[in-house]
Amino acid sequence: MAGLVPAISLRYTRPHRINRDCRDKPGDDSTMSARIIDGKTIAADLRGKAADAVHRLRRDRGIVPGIAVVLVGDNPASEVYVRNKSKAVAEAGMHAFDQKLSSATSEAELLNIIARLNADEEVNGILVQLPLPKQIDAHKIIAAIDPAKDVDGFHPLNAGRLASGLPALAPCTPLGCVLLAKTVNESLAGLEAVVIGRSNIVGKPVAQLLLAENATVTIAHSKTNDLPSVCRRADLLVAAIGRPEMVRGDWIKPGATVIDVGINRVPREDGKSRIVGDVAYDDAASIAGAITPVPGGVGPMTIACLLLNTLRAACAQKGLPAPKV
Ligand SMILES: NC(=O)c1ccc[n+]([C@@H]2O[C@H](COP(=O)([O-])OP(=O)(O)OC[C@H]3O[C@@H](n4cnc5c(N)ncnc54)[C@H](OP(=O)(O)O)[C@@H]3O)[C@@H](O)[C@H]2O)c1
């Protein structure tokens, strides 16, 4: 099962701790704390390592990895994601071949663009930002991307290779989750891992990557019986649900590592909104050993892993070994 999660030495989880006063529990005046897994710092470190590897590739081989991010329509959230991705690509010294298409683009037009990008040797990675307008079948588009350039890791061939334990381009957010978990436990072997969520984008690939790391993996979902008890078994809990603060503190095994993938916008009292994860953070942080905040945990890792995937794709396409990052 080698080659799924790149061996990257990320040792930058800050020894920043939060202290929770537990005196509200009768008779207990101890303080408990969880280490904050600082995804922002870890992702910045990874982006820096990717930029160094790009520099070496350009200097030693004259190769500059290139990625095409394709945005169809004007979904405001997608526009922000694409802008952030393009900025990170430029900062890493890669070439960006971004395509911004109107919301009226037909499926046939998009398929033509994908075919052109597949054939372009300067383009090593292709990412089509989801969701797509309703006249376009996203499955068809993803299946049309050359699997060797599928830096989002959503192509059925990459999903199948991942499930078979073969080297594959793995989806970026799941890869980020596992890299964050490995900043807490260098080896995940033998850990009891529970993943809540079974989407093709997050839950299933996270579970496959954890299995490849030799964790003992349970995938929970909306039909799981007694979810709190299942979660309480977990040394490593990954929440990818899309339900604000659903996972409560008493679902967490004391000392467990908690990776919160959720991004949920909830109303604030002042009429504005704020972002929360799938885990009730304060509650969980008083029990967990380490926890990702939202925002600033998993989110920043997604773009860093996109750079990593593009770099790996470029090297593989040129017949070079996987880059040292
Ligand atoms: N940080 C990032 O970069 C990033 C990237 C992608 C996604 N996200 C966030 O991650 C979250 C999950 O995303 P997704 O795309 O995987 O969502 P999704 O496709 O909606 O999948 C949600 C999963 O959660 C399960 N679920 C829903 N309600 C549940 C409940 N009450 N109890 C147990 N399981 C339940 C569903 O189970 P069923 O299969 O049974 O319906 C499903 O498998 C969202 O908040 C999303 O915004 C973040």
Side-chain angles (χ1 to χ4, degrees):
M1 287 256 190
L4 288 176
V5 179
I8 302 170
S9 133
L10 292 169
R11 305 239 154 271
Y12 288 83
T13 305
R14 279 197 189 143
H16 175 187
R17 305 179 80 87
I18 41 174
N19 292 308
R20 299 283 300 151
D21 192 336
C22 296
R23 276 172 298 187
D24 53 342
K25 291 180 188 158
D28 181 358
D29 62 355
S30 61
T31 55
M32 298 190 76
S33 62
R35 179 158 37 142
I36 298 173
I37 305 173
D38 182 353
K40 236 170 141 178
T41 302
I42 296 167
D45 179 42
L46 183 52
R47 289 201 314 272
K49 285 180 156 72
D52 290 346
V54 170
H55 173 74
R56 288 194 300 273
L57 206 55
R58 183 200 291 258
R59 184 194 61 201
D60 301 340
R61 310 263 183 184
I63 295 168
V64 182
I67 174 169
V69 177
V70 182
L71 174 64
V72 188
D74 42 22
N75 177 319
S78 294
E79 282 181 343
V80 172
Y81 290 138
V82 166
R83 218 174 17 250
N84 290 341
K85 283 170 188 168
S86 303
K87 187 165 166 264
V89 165
E91 281 171 4
M94 296 183 182
H95 282 157
F97 300 94
D98 294 352
Q99 309 273 323
K100 171 125 179 50
L101 310 172
S102 102
S103 55
T105 304
S106 70
E107 191 175 275
E109 282 168 324
L110 185 54
L111 286 169
N112 273 335
I113 289 168
I114 301 289
R116 191 162 49 69
L117 294 171
N118 281 343
D120 187 337
E121 284 198 4
E122 283 194 80
V123 176
N124 305 111
I126 302 169
L127 181 155
V128 178
Q129 185 67 42
L130 302 176
L132 289 167
K134 53 182 181 316
Q135 72 275 17
I136 301 177
D137 179 349
H139 293 290
K140 235 184 192 172
I141 299 302
I142 290 167
I145 296 172
D146 177 348
K149 297 188 178 187
D150 168 40
V151 285
D152 240 350
F154 294 159
H155 191 287
L157 193 105
N158 279 316
R161 290 183 67 88
L162 186 60
S164 305
L166 296 168
L169 285 167
C172 301
T173 301
L175 198 50
C177 292
V178 177
L179 290 173
L180 289 180
K182 289 184 78 168
T183 65
V184 181
N185 290 93
E186 195 168 4
S187 168
L188 306 180
L191 292 188
E192 186 86 52
V194 172
V195 179
I196 319 174
R198 55 174 163 181
S199 73
N200 290 334
I201 292 176
V202 190
K204 279 185 203 144
V206 166
Q208 298 294 355
L209 289 169
L210 291 173
L211 198 56
E213 291 292 310
N214 297 312
T216 302
V217 184
T218 301
I219 306 178
H221 46 75
S222 67
K223 305 292 183 294
T224 297
N225 287 331
D226 194 1
L227 185 58
S229 296
V230 173
C231 293
R232 274 192 287 271
R233 296 203 310 253
D235 303 307
L236 170 59
L237 181 64
V238 181
I241 317 164
R243 299 270 184 275
E245 302 181 321
M246 192 181 97
V247 176
R248 311 306 303 180
D250 63 359
W251 296 25
I252 312 273
K253 179 177 177 177
T257 297
V258 178
I259 306 289
D260 188 352
V261 187
I263 302 177
N264 309 288
R265 195 168 279 283
V266 294
R268 278 195 331 202
E269 275 175 10
D270 61 6
K272 295 187 176 157
S273 64
R274 66 191 176 103
I275 301 282
V276 298
D278 289 340
V279 178
Y281 183 81
D282 287 347
D283 219 18
S286 67
I287 310 287
I291 186 166
T292 56
V294 177
V298 173
M301 291 299 282
T302 300
I303 289 182
C305 289
L306 177 67
L307 301 180
L308 190 63
N309 272 354
T310 305
L311 191 58
R312 297 179 93 205
C315 289
Q317 286 158 37
K318 304 291 179 192
L320 300 173
K324 286 206 167 57
V325 178

